[in-house]
Amino acid sequence: MRLLLAFLILSACARGTTDTENLLLGQIMGDTLNTSDVRLLEVGIIGVTTRIYPTRPQITCREKIAPPPSGPTIQTRTAGVVAWTHVLTSPDWTLPDYLMGYPETINLVGAMYFAHEVTHVWQWQNRAVTGYSPFHGLAEHKPGVDPYLFDPTDEIDFLAMGYEQQASLVEEFICCRTLAPAAQRTERLYQALSAVMPVQHPTQTPRPIEVLGVYEEANLFGVCD
């Protein structure tokens, strides 16, 4: 009861999505997401614990725009937790608007993070199709197992993927459609997502003039081929 009361009190401080955030979500999820239900809230204890995973292969757009790994493992902190329609963010990952300046400008890392977390809200709102609950998503997090990892060269069946993999796929699509809208992998990602969401085709989405958040020495040649 105390936890429920605390959650209700915190929920009163949560914010809704901004117009620019809704613009991106509309391009990806359309009317399959009720954005008026989405709430975002910074929670200080999110990100306190760390996890160690094997270094991810540098083959996805998500990994290619980041600095290269320095060893065989990576240590991560939880950036966000989704409780039904509430996105609980760590202080390090909290922004008043993850899509400020969009569509002319995009903070690519911020946009990918935001879309990843809201995908879990989409999974909940569409649970009749996805079978999702926050507890099912939580169960994917096991010691030594990276639930976000997927092979971008595999055939993609969105609903057959894990819930974190699904959210990572949405991230990957945003990364690829921003940097390489006409690339082969971008098209494959579009086809996979369009089976479950009314996603806008990447070549029909205006490209931002300014892209922020990409590692300055990243090699983006063939980033989504």
Side-chain angles (χ1 to χ4, degrees):
M1 180 62 72
R2 290 180 179 177
L3 287 175
L4 177 60
L5 180 61
F7 181 72
L8 291 174
I9 293 172
L10 286 172
S11 295
C13 303
R15 73 169 178 88
T17 49
T18 67
D19 289 343
T20 50
E21 290 169 344
N22 287 338
L23 177 59
L24 176 74
L25 294 173
Q27 293 169 345
I28 305 297
M29 302 171 190
D31 60 5
T32 62
L33 175 74
N34 183 357
T35 56
S36 64
D37 283 349
V38 180
R39 291 292 181 271
L40 298 100
L41 176 67
E42 179 183 324
V43 178
I45 62 172
I46 303 295
V48 171
T49 59
T50 61
R51 291 186 176 92
I52 295 177
Y53 300 124
T55 295
R56 294 165 181 158
Q58 303 297 289
I59 57 176
T60 62
C61 186
R62 179 184 64 186
E63 301 305 324
K64 288 180 179 180
I65 66 171
S70 58
T73 61
I74 56 172
Q75 180 173 283
T76 67
R77 293 183 181 274
T78 301
V81 173
V82 176
W84 297 278
T85 58
H86 283 64
V87 178
L88 312 180
T89 61
S90 78
D92 289 342
W93 284 89
T94 300
L95 291 175
D97 185 348
Y98 290 95
L99 275 300
M100 186 174 292
Y102 186 75
E104 290 79 13
T105 299
I106 188 169
N107 177 338
L108 188 53
V109 174
M112 291 164 63
Y113 164 77
F114 170 74
H116 179 112
E117 301 303 336
V118 176
T119 297
H120 294 313
V121 178
W122 176 90
Q123 290 165 338
W124 170 248
Q125 290 185 350
N126 293 272
R127 58 192 177 277
V129 174
T130 66
Y132 176 82
S133 82
F135 303 106
H136 291 155
L138 184 63
E140 293 183 348
H141 293 266
K142 302 173 183 177
V145 178
D146 188 346
Y148 307 95
L149 191 64
F150 68 94
D151 187 342
T153 64
D154 283 348
E155 290 293 323
I156 302 171
D157 181 347
F158 186 83
L159 293 177
M161 302 177 79
Y163 295 118
E164 292 292 5
Q165 289 178 324
Q166 291 176 5
S168 294
L169 199 76
V170 173
E171 274 192 80
E172 183 73 358
F173 176 69
I174 290 173
C175 189
C176 283
R177 76 159 202 174
T178 301
L179 299 177
Q184 293 180 1
R185 190 194 310 161
T186 311
E187 179 64 23
R188 292 201 308 274
L189 292 166
Y190 165 75
Q191 294 295 336
L193 290 176
S194 64
V196 294
M197 302 174 184
V199 59
Q200 187 178 75
H201 194 274
T203 59
Q204 296 176 343
T205 303
R207 295 186 70 178
I209 299 170
E210 184 178 27
V211 178
L212 307 174
V214 177
Y215 177 54
E216 61 182 11
E217 297 181 17
N219 180 8
L220 301 181
F221 179 77
V223 63
C224 292
D225 288 347

